[in-house]
């Protein structure tokens, strides 16, 4: 009897949440996104080990859901299932996109050389060797440059937050970030200064 | 030069992310995405006359707006007909119907 009552209460709560999502209730959306963003990220990373692509796909899925919320019918299932449906659709689109572009040369060095003239193919980023090379390059950078790159791109901090943390002006952070990028590129492709970390 | 800087910055960003913990997204990314999504939600909710509360004053207000729209449409049709006196009746009716449908569709989108 008690379990039946609990089931009814739980179903009712889920239904309420579902209607809140469909009608654009900010509180319901915040709770849903806090729960789903890490799960979506893990799912995309499991498919392609590429954090930048995983973030891009999570972002696309979230915005597809927010913009298409009027098409969600709570009587057909939980909002989580509906959003995962959108995510699977985005995976299918990514697979189709990859199938339609030419195969990538196995020599990643060629692409790394052209770091400032074109966008690196996702396939190069997904190679285990690239990740190892990036870690080694970061470790070889002077501490200040390494810290600013990690704060900006790994922790996704804003320029203001980095400036506060480093006790520097925003302009100085922009400048340091730019110099760190150049330095990172030089070391990564093997034509930069070494051994001054 | 700007393009070169952009490519470098985007590629460095994508590469540095490879050195992070691959199991969870960065907290900064999650916070910023939630904030942007809620902002998008807020903006699209307040779009349109109904959602902005402009037409939420009851049936009198809606009828008033509809009457004003009808008067404006009537005036527009009169002007259009006067301007189309040179055209053949078939062309005139086609232009009239197309213009009316476009305006009705625009008003519909504005209200919803």
């Amino acid at each position: 009897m008690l379990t039946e009552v609990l089931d009814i209460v739980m179903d009712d709560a889920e239904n309420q949440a579902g209607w809140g999502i469909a009608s654009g209730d900010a509180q319901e959306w915040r709770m849903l996104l806090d729960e789903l963003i890490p799960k979506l990220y893990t799912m995309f990373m499991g498919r392609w080990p590429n954090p930048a692509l995983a973030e891009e796909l999570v972002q696309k899925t979230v915005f597809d859901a927010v913009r298409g919320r009027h098409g969600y019918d709570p009587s057909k299932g939980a909002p989580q299932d509906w959003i995962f449906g959108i995510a699977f659709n985005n995976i299918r689109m990514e697979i189709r996109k990859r199938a339609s572009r030419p195969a990538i040369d196995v020599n990643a060095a060629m692409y790394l050389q052209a770091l400032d003239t074109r966008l690196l193919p996702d396939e190069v980023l997904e190679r285990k060797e690239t990740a190892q090379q990036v870690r080694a390059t970061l470790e070889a950078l002077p501490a200040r440059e390494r810290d600013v790159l990690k704060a900006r791109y790994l922790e996704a901090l804003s320029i203001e937050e980095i400036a506060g943390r480093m006790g520097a002006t925003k302009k100085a952070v922009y400048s340091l970030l730019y110099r760190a990028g150049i330095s990172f590129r030089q070391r990564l492709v093997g034509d930069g200064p070494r051994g001054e970390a | 030069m700007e393009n070169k800087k952009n490519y470098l910055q985007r590629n460095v960003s994508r590469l540095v992310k490879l050195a992070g913990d691959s199991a969870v997204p960065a907290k900064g990314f999650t916070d910023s995405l939630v904030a942007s999504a809620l902002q998008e939600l807020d903006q699209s909710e307040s779009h349109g006359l109904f959602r902005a509360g402009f037409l939420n004053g009851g049936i009198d207000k809606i009828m008033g707006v509809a009457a004003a729209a009808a008067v404006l449409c009537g005036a527009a049709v009169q002007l259009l007909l006067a301007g189309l006196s040179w055209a053949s009746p078939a062309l005139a009716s086609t232009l009239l119907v197309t213009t009316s449908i476009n305006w009705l569709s625009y008003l519909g989108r504005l209200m919803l």
Side-chain angles (χ1 to χ4, degrees), chain A residues 67 69 115 118 120 122, chain B residues 11 14 17 26 40 44-45:
Chain A
R67 286 170 190 152
R69 68 190 176 281
L115 215 57
R118 63 181 168 186
L120 273 174
D122 286 318
Chain B
N11 280 327
R14 297 163 81 217
K17 284 179 202 294
E40 169 85 20
S44 52
E45 283 305 311

Side-chain angles (χ1 to χ4, degrees), chain A residues 92-107:
Chain A
R92 276 194 289 273
M93 276 164 59
E94 178 65 24
I95 291 172
R96 272 205 291 273
K97 203 165 88 181
R98 283 171 183 242
S100 67
R101 62 189 184 212
I104 297 300
D105 195 305
V106 284
N107 181 13

Side-chain angles (χ1 to χ4, degrees), chain A residues 24 26 29-30 33 37 41-42 45 51-52 55 58-59 62-63 66-67 69 115-120 122 125 130 134-135 138 153-156 178 185 188, chain B residues 1 3-5 7-30 33-34 36-38 40-41 44-45 51:
Chain A
W29 271 96
R30 180 182 287 279
L33 292 178
I37 288 174
Y41 181 85
T42 308
M45 281 295 285
E55 286 184 358
V58 170
Q59 194 167 336
V62 166
F63 277 91
V66 168
R67 286 170 190 152
R69 68 190 176 281
L115 215 57
D116 52 3
T117 52
R118 63 181 168 186
L119 220 49
L120 273 174
D122 286 318
L125 291 165
T130 310
V134 166
R135 281 192 200 100
L138 275 176
Y153 303 125
L154 281 185
E155 297 180 59
Y178 180 66
R185 179 194 177 278
L188 190 71
Chain B
M1 177 63 191
N3 257 353
K4 209 169 172 176
K5 197 174 159 183
Y7 278 124
L8 180 66
Q9 199 176 12
R10 286 177 66 188
N11 280 327
V12 169
S13 157
R14 297 163 81 217
L15 283 164
V16 171
K17 284 179 202 294
L18 293 174
D21 177 3
S22 59
V24 284
K27 193 179 175 301
F29 167 74
T30 308
L33 181 54
V34 171
S36 315
L38 292 179
E40 169 85 20
L41 199 65
S44 52
E45 283 305 311
R51 287 181 208 157

Side-chain angles (χ1 to χ4, degrees), chain B residues 12-81:
Chain B
V12 169
S13 157
R14 297 163 81 217
L15 283 164
V16 171
K17 284 179 202 294
L18 293 174
D21 177 3
S22 59
V24 284
K27 193 179 175 301
F29 167 74
T30 308
D31 291 348
S32 138
L33 181 54
V34 171
S36 315
L38 292 179
Q39 195 183 356
E40 169 85 20
L41 199 65
D42 188 43
Q43 275 172 2
S44 52
E45 283 305 311
S46 59
H47 177 74
L49 297 179
F50 271 115
R51 287 181 208 157
F54 184 71
L55 292 179
N56 292 348
I59 192 76
D60 290 350
K61 196 168 182 183
I62 292 175
M63 290 302 284
V65 171
V71 169
L72 281 174
C73 286
V77 166
Q78 279 297 325
L79 284 173
L80 200 62
L81 281 175

